[in-house]
């Protein structure tokens, strides 16, 4: 597999923020919220973070792969294909929101 771009496997992501914190250039942005899981009568319902938004700024990314290596849940992976070109920096941001794939060719505003 070529190292053309970085893809998100959303169902594996726990919004732990390790990828964003380990990135040397801070090109990853994650938004999430906390939900309570379990029956209402449970004394201590479990709280889990739910991914709302995942964004990579390809104009800043060095494609070093640290985010992929450090993710303990294998939620990021190398993908074939190249990152879409853009005329301006805002077009280099790749956004994932629930029910949308993230990978090559899904840049923000160009779905």
């Amino acid at each position: 597999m070529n190292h053309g771009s970085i893809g998100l496997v959303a169902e594996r992501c726990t919004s732990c923020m390790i990828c964003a914190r380990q990135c040397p250039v801070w090109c990853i942005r994650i938004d999430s919220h906390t939900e309570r899981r379990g029956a209402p009568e449970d004394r201590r319902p479990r709280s889990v973070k739910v991914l709302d938004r995942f964004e990579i700024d390809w104009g800043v990314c060095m494609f070093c792969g640290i985010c992929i290596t450090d993710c303990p849940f294998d939620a990021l992976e190398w993908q074939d294909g190249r990152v879409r070109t853009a005329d301006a920096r805002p077009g280099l941001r790749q956004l994932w929101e629930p029910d949308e794939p993230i990978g090559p060719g899904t840049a923000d505003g160009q779905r």
Side-chain angles (χ1 to χ4, degrees):
M1 174 174 289
N2 294 328
H3 293 184
S5 67
I6 298 167
L8 172 69
V9 182
E11 51 276 354
R12 293 183 195 160
C13 182
T14 62
S15 303
C16 67
M17 304 288 288
I18 290 173
C19 59
R21 283 181 285 187
Q22 295 292 55
C23 178
V25 293
W26 292 79
C27 69
I28 298 174
R29 180 176 172 204
I30 299 173
D31 293 327
S32 64
H33 68 277
T34 303
E35 288 183 359
R36 298 189 96 127
R37 302 269 168 96
E41 63 272 2
D42 290 347
R43 278 183 74 181
R44 292 183 58 188
R46 182 176 172 205
S47 294
V48 296
K49 286 187 174 182
V50 177
L51 183 64
D52 292 326
R53 175 185 167 111
F54 184 92
E55 183 177 10
I56 297 178
D57 187 342
W58 296 117
V60 177
C61 182
M62 300 185 316
F63 297 89
C64 64
I66 291 173
C67 57
I68 295 171
T69 304
D70 288 354
C71 179
F73 303 100
D74 294 327
L76 295 172
E77 59 187 21
W78 289 112
Q79 291 186 340
D80 289 330
R82 296 186 179 200
V83 175
R84 174 179 274 169
T85 60
D87 294 330
R89 282 217 12 110
L92 292 172
R93 291 190 197 115
Q94 186 174 14
L95 173 67
W96 174 90
E97 290 177 328
D99 303 323
E100 294 179 18
I102 187 168
T106 57
D108 189 24
Q110 299 175 345
R111 291 187 186 98

